[in-house]
Amino acid sequence: NNTYTASNNTATHTIPNAAGCDSVITLDLTINYSTSATDVITACDSYTWIDNNTYTASNNTATHIIPNAAGCDSVITLDLTINYSTSATDVITACDSYTWIDNNTYTASNNTATHTIPNAAGCDSVITLDLTINYSTSATDVITACDSYTWIDNNTYTASNNTATHIIPNAIGCDSVITLDLTINYSTSATDVITACDSYTWIDNNTYTASNNTATHTIPNAAGCDSVITLDLTINYSTSATDAITACGSYTWIDGNVYTSSNNTAMYTIPNAVGCDSVITLDLTINTVDVTTSVSDITISSNAGNATYQWLDCSNNMAVIAGETGQSFTPAANGMYAVEVSENGCIDTSDCVTISSVGIAESKLNDQLVLYPNPNQGKFTILFDQMQEEVTVELQTITGQLIDATNYVNAKELSISISEPSGTYLVVIRNPQGENRIIRVVKE
């Protein structure tokens, strides 16, 4: 009846044996012991233990008994730690392509690929890829510039270039490769050589009145760049002069006009030595010679005073009559006579006057007619103050050569034509009474 908790091989006990004698029993006791243990387990998500229970949460209270090696109870206590698998989405934005943790290279967006790796607790971590692939871009920057251009790469180019590149982020953050297509045009310079008179209004809208070689003006050239023009201006000047002329009767000036009277207002412009206007003002004095004559009886007088005179024989080819240099002349014989008058530095000759009454009565024909117009264009009129029963009209050269002679009856007004070339002619008018009238006529 003793309880032994340890092995014993000395205790004895006597009990009657089958024969009624003492039976001394010696105890040879071996005490084995029950055992206990803790089963420390770490598992992911769930764990099925030796008790066939599946645990999905950590547990440190469950026990289970099994025989130990000595055949005694072995009480095992569960110390279970349940860790959990995790999942995550790997949100990635990349340019052109992306090599993920699964070592795959993706060139397009992807939201289905997965990859499993241990998490911090040693369980599966299932990662889902959420990949956005953006793409790099390329562009050409076409630029035209003058002389030089500083591009986005901070380089200054002085010549055309179509190979330079520069990378900047595009709108989605990827590379934007820009290629330069640069055309360099160049500014030009020129000198505008101008010669002008008095003043010149240049392309700068300034009016220059003196020579200038420093003014500049900038305009676009054919390439659209600056064209710097330097003015090389020579200003020459116009001149003025007065052409003082004294002429007899009429004068044809440089302007081609024939002046028959004095004139100090006419002007004419010609180039001077430097090619500018030379304004010439005419100061013309026209001297005239009074070649009118008057006849008294058989004496012819020049109406010009303070002149020099020379009387001429019209019938003898305008021969000089020797010694006849007075203002009046009385011929010794009938004929046609004129006077050459020198006056105011000019010389002119009067009309021939016919003297036919030397030794006879005075002719009245001189006072009975007029001839007009004179000068004329080849047609003139002879108008008598009274009807002439008979009259002869002769047309002669200035030397007295007969060209034509026509008789008229009952003449009052005669229209005469000169078919000869332009020049001076003698018109001789005769009547049956021997009266003559000689008139010098000019056909222009």
Side-chain angles (χ1 to χ4, degrees), residues 90-418:
D90 192 7
V91 180
I92 296 171
T93 299
C95 294
D96 301 323
S97 67
Y98 185 75
T99 300
W100 197 35
I101 53 178
D102 61 0
N103 289 323
N104 290 321
T105 298
Y106 298 87
T107 58
S109 297
N110 189 304
N111 61 1
T112 59
T114 59
H115 186 63
T116 302
I117 59 175
N119 61 14
C123 297
D124 287 343
S125 174
V126 180
I127 302 173
T128 300
L129 177 63
D130 184 0
L131 173 64
T132 300
I133 293 291
N134 293 322
Y135 297 96
S136 298
T137 55
S138 63
T140 300
D141 192 8
V142 180
I143 296 171
T144 299
C146 294
D147 300 321
S148 66
Y149 185 76
T150 300
W151 197 36
I152 51 177
D153 61 359
N154 289 324
N155 290 323
T156 298
Y157 297 87
T158 58
S160 298
N161 188 301
N162 61 2
T163 58
T165 59
H166 186 64
I167 298 175
I168 58 175
N170 61 15
I172 53 179
C174 295
D175 286 345
S176 174
V177 180
I178 302 175
T179 300
L180 176 62
D181 184 0
L182 173 65
T183 300
I184 293 289
N185 294 321
Y186 297 95
S187 298
T188 54
S189 62
T191 299
D192 192 8
V193 180
I194 297 171
T195 300
C197 294
D198 301 321
S199 67
Y200 185 76
T201 301
W202 197 37
I203 51 177
D204 60 0
N205 290 323
N206 290 322
T207 299
Y208 297 86
T209 57
S211 297
N212 187 304
N213 61 0
T214 58
T216 59
H217 186 64
T218 301
I219 58 175
N221 61 15
C225 297
D226 287 344
S227 174
V228 180
I229 302 175
T230 300
L231 175 63
D232 184 359
L233 172 65
T234 300
I235 293 290
N236 293 321
Y237 298 95
S238 299
T239 54
S240 61
T242 300
D243 191 9
I245 297 172
T246 300
C248 297
S250 65
Y251 185 74
T252 302
W253 198 37
I254 52 177
D255 61 0
N257 292 323
V258 177
Y259 296 86
T260 57
S261 60
S262 297
N263 188 305
N264 62 1
T265 59
M267 292 187 296
Y268 188 66
T269 302
I270 59 175
N272 61 15
V274 291
C276 295
D277 287 345
S278 174
V279 180
I280 302 175
T281 301
L282 176 62
D283 183 4
L284 173 65
T285 300
I286 292 291
N287 291 326
T288 59
V289 178
D290 185 356
V291 292
T292 62
T293 58
S294 59
V295 179
S296 176
D297 195 8
I298 61 172
T299 298
I300 310 170
S301 297
S302 171
N303 293 331
N306 299 318
T308 301
Y309 315 95
Q310 176 62 65
W311 290 92
L312 306 173
D313 186 351
C314 297
S315 300
N316 190 22
N317 201 24
M318 305 300 284
V320 171
I321 302 174
E324 295 297 335
T325 58
Q327 187 174 358
S328 297
F329 169 62
T330 302
N334 292 326
M336 291 185 296
Y337 303 96
V339 63
E340 181 183 84
V341 181
S342 299
E343 182 181 22
N344 299 321
C346 299
I347 301 174
D348 201 356
T349 302
S350 71
D351 291 338
C352 292
V353 177
T354 300
I355 299 297
S356 59
S357 58
V358 175
I360 62 175
E362 180 181 358
S363 171
K364 300 297 183 181
L365 189 58
N366 285 339
D367 300 326
Q368 296 176 350
L369 65 89
V370 293
L371 184 150
Y372 66 90
N374 190 18
N376 56 68
Q377 299 295 318
K379 289 185 178 182
F380 59 90
T381 299
I382 299 173
L383 179 62
F384 298 96
D385 64 347
Q386 60 185 1
M387 187 72 69
Q388 301 294 314
E389 293 182 1
E390 184 179 356
V391 68
T392 300
V393 178
E394 296 180 359
L395 181 63
Q396 299 178 6
T397 67
I398 193 65
T399 60
Q401 183 180 356
L402 181 64
I403 298 173
D404 182 66
T406 303
N407 291 324
Y408 297 93
V409 177
N410 296 326
K412 173 67 174 175
E413 181 176 342
L414 304 177
S415 294
I416 310 297
S417 296
I418 302 174

